[in-house]
Amino acid sequence: GAGVSQSPSNKVTEKGKDVELRCDPISGHTALYWYRQSLGQGLEFLIYFQGNSAPDKSGLPSDRFSAERTGGSVSTLTIQRTQQEDSAVYLCASTSRFAGETQYFGPGTRLLVL
Amino acid sequence: QKEVEQNSGPLSVPEGAIASLNCTYSDRVSQSFFWYRQYSGKSPELIMSIYSNGDKEDGRFTAQLNKASQYVSLLIRDSQPSDSATYLCAVNPIGASGSARQLTFGSGTQLTVLP
């Protein structure tokens, strides 16, 4: 596609419910990242996928967070038993070596946990 | 100590002035440095990347890197109200010839250009 797409753009959920956030990277980009950005804060790294290698999960804040990337393309970030502190904008970015490591960001999913 | 530090601002400059944004980093092996601009409610977009010591110019933007001092800056000449945004500094420990890895972001500096 022309750019990184994410869905949904906004999600409101109740505390304790599970949510799934989707990221569709730029076609051909081998690396995919998930970040979280709380209001007025910088970007917090969550997880990184590179090709078929094992993902770098070092940024996931708890075992309620998980992510997968199917077929080396689309990725889903799942948050189980959501808490109010999970409310943030979840950003996905993709890149490839041929893009000079420039990370291209999607529009984000704004998650609000009530 | 944060890995990447920026003055959160807000930084206000008059239209036409030079805006200077600063960033320091703690990891000496850092090799790649990026400046992203983020408008309110939008996602970050890349403005500049720099890998070598010295200055790199692109239009009204100049990135400056000093690895010995672990310091990278962004200068915006002839600032315009449309430059008003949050500017994020990002650092990557892997060089430009290596594989892409996660970036470490600063918390950003909010810039306001006053008309």
Side-chain angles (χ1 to χ4, degrees):
Chain A
V4 179
S5 60
Q6 292 186 246
S7 62
S9 54
N10 292 281
K11 177 70 176 180
V12 180
T13 189
E14 294 178 348
K15 177 181 174 181
K17 296 288 181 67
D18 297 351
V19 295
E20 283 190 353
L21 312 179
R22 176 188 168 105
C23 172
D24 203 336
I26 293 173
S27 178
H29 278 193
T30 55
L32 185 149
Y33 305 77
W34 282 99
Y35 295 91
R36 177 170 70 175
Q37 187 173 34
S38 300
L39 187 64
Q41 302 297 310
L43 275 68
E44 175 189 4
F45 166 76
L46 297 177
I47 188 169
Y48 156 67
F49 296 89
Q50 171 62 57
N52 295 320
S53 302
D56 177 354
K57 304 179 182 180
S58 60
L60 294 178
S62 77
D63 60 6
R64 297 187 294 104
F65 288 73
S66 62
E68 62 178 19
R69 188 179 185 192
T70 54
S73 180
V74 173
S75 177
T76 302
L77 177 69
T78 300
I79 308 173
Q80 295 178 310
R81 304 181 302 282
T82 52
Q83 303 294 312
Q84 289 181 333
E85 60 263 29
D86 298 335
S87 298
V89 176
Y90 289 81
L91 290 161
C92 174
S94 72
T95 190
S96 72
R97 187 172 303 179
F98 303 104
E101 299 181 53
T102 298
Q103 294 191 15
Y104 295 90
F105 284 84
T109 293
R110 286 157 183 76
L111 175 66
L112 177 61
V113 182
L114 300 177
Chain B
Q1 181 186 4
K2 291 184 179 179
E3 295 182 46
V4 179
E5 294 210 43
Q6 296 180 252
N7 187 330
S8 62
L11 172 66
S12 295
V13 299
E15 184 174 357
I18 295 175
S20 178
L21 305 165
N22 304 316
C23 173
T24 58
Y25 59 95
S26 60
D27 190 345
R28 286 192 170 275
V29 301
S30 298
Q31 295 292 329
S32 304
F33 307 86
F34 305 85
W35 282 100
Y36 282 82
R37 177 176 62 198
Q38 186 174 26
Y39 291 114
S40 180
K42 303 295 185 182
S43 56
E45 56 179 332
L46 182 72
I47 296 178
M48 295 280 287
S49 59
I50 187 167
Y51 305 99
S52 304
N53 278 326
D55 295 359
K56 178 181 178 182
E57 187 174 318
D58 184 0
R60 295 187 296 112
F61 298 96
T62 299
Q64 299 175 318
L65 175 61
N66 184 325
K67 291 185 180 180
S69 300
Q70 294 176 242
Y71 174 95
V72 56
S73 64
L74 179 70
L75 300 178
I76 307 175
R77 291 183 301 281
D78 189 24
S79 297
Q80 302 296 310
S82 59
D83 295 326
S84 299
T86 296
Y87 290 79
L88 300 167
C89 172
V91 173
N92 184 331
I94 304 298
S97 60
S99 59
R101 295 293 301 274
Q102 61 158 304
L103 294 178
T104 300
F105 284 84
S107 57
T109 298
Q110 184 180 342
L111 172 67
T112 300
V113 179
L114 304 171

